Amino acid sequence: MYSFHRGPAMPQVDWLFLDMNAFFASAEQQMRPELRGRPVAVVPMMTDTTCCIAASYEARAYGIKTGTNVGQARRQCPGLVLVKGRHEDYVRLHHEILAAIETVLPIEKVCSIDEVACRLSPPDREVDRARQVGERAKLAIKEQVGAQLRCSVGLATNRLLAKLASNLKKPDGLSVITREELPRRLYALELREFTGIGANMQRRLAERGVRTTRQLCGLSCDALVEVWGSRVGALWWHWLRGEEADERATHRRTVGHSHVLAPELRTDEGARGVLVRLLHKAAARLRKLGYVARRIEFGVRYVGDRGGGARGGKWRARVNLARCSDTPTMLKALDTAWRLRSADDLAATPLKVSLSLWKLEPAGGMVLPLFAEERQATQAARTMDAVNAAFGAGSMYFASMHETRDSAPMRIAFSHIPELEPERDPTP
């Protein structure tokens, strides 16, 4: 009678996380061969007062990164090449990258324009096989989209750790975190290296004596729930141990947009016009998501001398709404708030405008407005959405945004990636 001895089970991973490296800057280097090998910074506009929204690895060698002031970046790297962002091109490349990855394995979740998470199939979960899948995905992007578009891959037993692993070796790296290595593998990492631990959470942890990842891993499940103030803390307890833990669908809290004004729009009229443009975009997005808002907030950041000799400053206004999703009602709210600005605000030079919709609720089950004027506003918004869906964004809009219809063009938020269709010029 024969007996067979099975060796120890091989370590396995369940998730592959792919992060494009310096995506906007490398996209420019892919599209413009003359930029390859040179320090490049992508900017929203050609002015020293704005900030870099991406930097190539050649520029990062000079200490330039996302958020670096352009004037400071120029001083740090005299040979820096500034490129105005072309977001529609980045969206096009994003969709081409997704198609390339899908030739290797299915995408579970598109996390942002430069990040995707993929759940590995059972045959590919053994670490050596998972590494091969990761390398094939990287190769597919290089061959099918462009060799300048490098990416880093992380492999782990849950999505949080896979994303963490993708950051361990950049650019063009591949890293693995197995359950057998936990939690010791995490001890050398800073708390801020974990997605979900920002400045506020780091401060809350420090208030409880937690300043290292080792201390974080040592907290009980109840202690983590207390730190996070919700069941998210319990999820973290499982994630740090390499376990899967389901995330319940979260309720969206806000929809908003902001825009740095071009020099020719840094006037009172220009600032209001761009705010109107942002309002149209935010309201349309709110309706597409199926929400209504109960509060709208406006903001303007100023530069230069204000009344009284003060330097710079901000204006903010908040208007309560009655479960609103239509553009005309929001435009009235802007008019109301705009009339209440102070003399100092009127005398200042605006630099940036912002708009946020708060206290969001699902629109499902919303009854029609009682008054005819409100019903007409709601119907007008729906009609405008239908026309823009059929003929392209910007085909129909309210006259108040006519002068600034080309301002505040497509921008890419972390979790919202526009479709391929560009925003059309509404003029015939």
Side-chain angles (χ1 to χ4, degrees):
M1 187 173 182
Y2 297 96
S3 63
F4 296 92
H5 174 71
R6 282 189 173 184
M10 296 295 291
Q12 293 194 342
V13 290
D14 299 275
W15 285 89
L16 182 153
F17 196 95
L18 190 147
D19 181 3
M20 301 304 300
N21 302 146
F23 179 51
F24 292 174
S26 62
E28 290 293 341
Q29 290 176 320
Q30 177 62 39
M31 293 184 289
R32 297 175 56 184
E34 72 273 16
L35 298 179
R36 296 173 189 177
R38 302 176 65 185
V40 175
V42 180
V43 297
M45 63 182 63
M46 293 296 187
T47 172
D48 282 1
T49 59
T50 189
C51 295
C52 302
I53 59 176
S56 68
Y57 278 89
E58 295 86 354
R60 293 183 186 192
Y62 291 87
I64 300 166
K65 57 185 179 180
T66 300
T68 301
N69 173 267
V70 171
Q72 177 185 339
R74 286 181 186 271
R75 291 189 291 273
Q76 291 175 212
C77 177
L80 182 67
V81 181
L82 298 179
V83 178
K84 186 175 180 181
R86 296 183 287 170
H87 295 271
E88 290 181 1
D89 289 325
Y90 308 152
V91 171
R92 175 181 56 79
L93 286 173
H94 161 79
H95 287 282
E96 292 179 9
I97 289 167
L98 297 188
I101 295 170
E102 290 274 7
T103 66
V104 178
L105 77 167
I107 294 171
E108 178 84 5
K109 182 179 177 60
V110 177
C111 303
S112 70
I113 194 168
D114 60 353
E115 296 178 325
V116 300
C118 305
R119 191 186 294 272
L120 294 165
S121 64
D124 293 329
R125 289 177 183 170
E126 191 273 320
V127 169
D128 287 342
R129 288 284 298 273
R131 285 182 180 273
Q132 294 172 14
V133 172
E135 293 293 351
R136 281 168 34 215
K138 290 157 64 73
L139 183 61
I141 294 171
K142 290 179 181 178
E143 291 184 344
Q144 299 177 36
V145 189
Q148 298 298 312
L149 299 168
R150 296 179 293 178
C151 65
S152 295
V153 168
L155 300 167
T157 52
N158 61 48
R159 205 169 76 199
L160 175 81
L161 295 182
K163 176 175 173 60
L164 181 69
S166 72
N167 290 323
L168 296 181
K169 192 181 296 183
K170 288 188 173 183
D172 208 24
L174 189 154
S175 301
V176 184
I177 298 176
T178 64
R179 186 175 300 181
E180 289 76 9
E181 299 174 286
L182 299 173
R184 295 183 303 277
R185 177 75 183 278
L186 307 178
Y187 289 168
L189 302 177
E190 299 291 333
L191 291 173
R192 291 291 290 275
E193 293 185 60
F194 289 83
T195 300
I197 300 182
N200 290 337
M201 182 55 66
Q202 186 178 30
R203 183 168 56 252
R204 290 172 65 175
L205 287 166
E207 290 170 353
R208 292 160 175 81
V210 177
R211 292 179 172 81
T212 68
T213 298
R214 183 168 190 156
Q215 292 171 324
L216 176 69
C217 293
L219 292 180
S220 68
C221 184
D222 289 342
L224 286 171
V225 171
E226 192 271 331
V227 170
W228 259 265
S230 70
R231 68 177 293 274
V232 173
L235 298 178
W236 272 81
W237 190 88
H238 290 285
W239 289 335
L240 292 171
R241 285 152 182 79
E243 300 171 8
E244 283 270 27
D246 291 334
E247 298 176 75
R248 294 178 183 174
T250 56
H251 176 77
R252 178 176 285 272
R253 296 182 178 181
T254 182
V255 167
H257 295 286
S258 63
H259 186 70
V260 176
L261 300 172
E264 66 271 16
L265 291 174
R266 292 177 185 178
T267 64
D268 195 64
E269 296 79 10
R272 185 189 179 282
V274 175
L275 264 178
V276 169
R277 165 79 162 151
L278 296 182
L279 188 151
H280 278 73
K281 293 173 68 174
R285 187 175 166 201
L286 183 75
R287 294 189 292 270
K288 184 175 181 179
L289 292 168
Y291 282 89
V292 294
R294 296 179 59 190
R295 189 172 79 201
I296 186 169
E297 295 185 3
F298 307 100
V300 180
R301 182 188 300 172
Y302 298 104
V303 292
D305 293 323
R306 300 186 65 186
R311 192 75 180 158
K314 296 180 180 179
W315 168 79
R316 291 194 178 278
R318 175 185 301 174
V319 180
N320 291 325
L321 305 169
R323 301 193 82 239
C324 168
S325 65
D326 68 272
T327 309
T329 299
M330 295 181 193
L331 287 171
K332 289 182 181 178
L334 174 59
D335 288 338
T336 299
W338 203 249
R339 287 195 297 267
L340 298 177
R341 291 171 303 142
S342 69
D344 286 352
D345 295 319
L346 293 172
T349 301
L351 171 66
K352 180 180 179 180
V353 296
S354 59
L355 175 147
S356 298
L357 298 170
W358 291 86
K359 293 189 174 181
L360 306 190
E361 299 175 5
M366 179 179 174
V367 298
L368 287 174
L370 178 62
F371 299 105
E373 182 181 359
E374 295 175 348
R375 290 197 299 271
Q376 290 170 359
T378 300
Q379 186 57 49
R382 292 175 179 171
T383 301
M384 187 168 60
D385 291 342
V387 171
N388 288 331
F391 299 102
S395 296
M396 177 177 284
Y397 55 91
F398 289 93
S400 52
M401 68 169 272
H402 183 74
E403 295 301 322
T404 55
R405 64 192 183 279
D406 295 324
S407 302
M410 178 191 293
R411 293 292 182 265
I412 300 168
F414 176 75
S415 60
H416 171 68
I417 302 156
E419 297 300 327
L420 284 172
E421 292 80 3
E423 298 183 49
R424 301 182 186 176
D425 186 345
T427 55

